[in-house]
Amino acid sequence: MRDVTGRLMLLDTASLYFRAYFGVPESVKAPDGTPVNAVRGLLEFIDRLVRDHRPDRLVACMDADWRPQWRVDLIPSYKAHRVAEEHELGPDEEQVPDTLSPQVPVIEAVLDALGIARVGVAGYEADDVIGTFTARAEDAVDIVTGDRDLYQLVDDARGIRVLYPLKGVGTLQLTDEAWLREKYGVDGRGYADLALLRGDPSDGLPGVPGIGEKTAAKLLAQFGDLAGVIAAIDDPRTTLTPSQRKRLDESRPYLAVAPTVVKVADDVPLPAVDTALPHAPRDPAALEALAARWGLGGSLQRLLTTLGA
């Protein structure tokens, strides 16, 4: 069943608070001297996004598991270089700056007190939560992320675009299919195939040796999609060069599992949440206590004014 309640904005929350952390000086601190640069920076991001884009609904999508085991089982190198500590009975611990980790629970508490829907699902990344909300949405969707993986969800016919922050969130790259075709030579649907052929060192995806971004785009233009590229390996009439044919053939085991790893899930069991943009805090007393404890000051007040407008 699809949701039909107006424009939906989905925040890739970790992507945004990482950007806030590195974009706002660590000298921004709570009264006790604890850094709150990521907290205040994220509040300012949300304020600007709501003012500029006026969503009807807003969801802060979270990484309940930043490196799901089902992806690691298929490609063991997936995000392996980011693991700070392995845990047998739960998600591995990600490398996060020491002064950012303590700010994440504060961010979660502030979002909850504001009444902004916050959704993370065990065993899934925020990307998968975003993919599922997008699949269920009837109306336009704005996905706010600094992660290009989500370009695969762009769909002009459905009004789905990615707002990619270039500098803070004041300067956003509005990513639609025309922009993708000009930049990468593919549409949203083709971006995942491009990404897995090319590989992505930041996610530990090896790609096909010798197949860079331009070659991957050329192959997809020639053969339509990944299935067409794989079919071309066994067809001597195709225009693959001998080295391309050899490298693709040797990469068949990777190509068999990579689509499951690279493509965001669209069937996550989402909880029932109220995604309506709040116009007043859900828990004013809790919010007031958080504002005082963490010195959220003008950042929070500006957001409250924007939400109430």
Side-chain angles (χ1 to χ4, degrees):
M1 183 174 181
R2 294 184 180 272
D3 301 319
V4 191
T5 45
R7 178 177 290 275
L8 171 64
M9 177 173 282
L10 301 171
L11 306 182
D12 183 1
T13 312
S15 168
L16 296 179
Y17 66 60
F18 264 93
R19 282 177 176 254
Y21 175 80
F22 288 107
V24 177
E26 205 168 287
S27 57
V28 175
K29 296 181 177 181
D32 68 356
T34 304
V36 289
N37 51 330
V39 183
R40 290 187 59 164
L42 181 66
L43 292 174
E44 289 166 7
F45 280 4
I46 296 174
D47 173 50
R48 184 66 183 266
L49 289 165
V50 173
R51 278 192 288 120
D52 288 355
H53 299 282
R54 292 291 167 187
D56 301 289
R57 298 184 292 141
L58 179 68
V59 182
C61 301
M62 313 296 291
D63 283 317
D65 189 341
W66 67 279
R67 188 176 182 246
Q69 190 60 45
W70 56 271
R71 284 191 164 106
V72 177
D73 288 343
L74 294 173
I75 299 181
S77 63
Y78 182 68
K79 295 186 177 180
H81 60 294
R82 299 194 213 169
V83 176
E85 186 175 344
E86 294 184 359
H87 298 291
E88 286 188 17
L89 300 178
D92 292 335
E93 188 175 328
E94 185 179 12
Q95 290 179 347
V96 177
D98 290 343
T99 52
L100 172 56
S101 294
Q103 297 188 57
V104 176
V106 182
I107 287 169
E108 294 174 344
V110 172
L111 291 174
D112 291 349
L114 281 166
I116 291 174
R118 183 172 63 85
V119 178
V121 178
Y124 294 96
E125 300 176 55
D127 287 9
D128 303 311
V129 174
I130 289 169
T132 304
F133 270 114
T134 299
R136 295 183 183 182
E138 184 67 30
D139 296 313
V141 179
D142 283 342
I143 299 165
V144 188
T145 181
D147 184 353
R148 292 182 177 89
D149 291 343
L150 289 167
Y151 286 172
Q152 63 185 272
L153 299 177
V154 169
D155 186 338
D156 287 359
R158 296 188 56 217
I160 299 164
R161 61 185 184 175
V162 167
L163 309 183
Y164 184 92
L166 298 174
K167 186 177 181 181
V169 291
T171 305
L172 293 171
Q173 172 189 288
L174 304 183
T175 307
D176 58 11
E177 289 187 9
W179 188 92
L180 285 176
R181 280 191 290 269
E182 182 178 349
K183 176 72 174 176
Y184 298 107
V186 296
D187 57 13
R189 189 172 299 178
Y191 187 82
D193 288 346
L194 176 85
L196 67 87
L197 285 167
R198 171 197 65 196
D200 186 349
S202 69
D203 280 342
L205 295 173
V208 177
I211 304 293
E213 189 168 279
K214 290 182 179 178
T215 301
K218 184 177 178 182
L219 291 174
L220 292 170
Q222 284 179 302
F223 304 114
D225 56 15
L226 180 64
V229 173
I230 292 172
I233 300 171
D234 297 320
D235 185 348
R237 298 167 299 175
T238 58
T239 56
L240 290 173
T241 67
S243 63
Q244 288 171 349
R245 196 180 304 274
K246 180 174 184 292
R247 286 167 172 163
L248 287 164
D249 186 47
E250 291 172 347
S251 297
R252 283 184 199 262
Y254 164 75
L255 294 174
V257 298
T260 303
V261 175
V262 172
K263 292 180 180 178
V264 300
D266 61 5
D267 57 353
V268 174
L270 299 176
V273 292
D274 181 2
T275 62
L277 188 72
H279 297 295
R282 175 184 294 149
D283 191 335
L287 192 61
E288 185 177 353
L290 287 163
R293 166 69 179 84
W294 299 106
L296 303 182
S299 302
L300 178 59
Q301 193 54 54
R302 283 187 290 274
L303 176 55
L304 286 170
T305 300
T306 296
L307 292 173

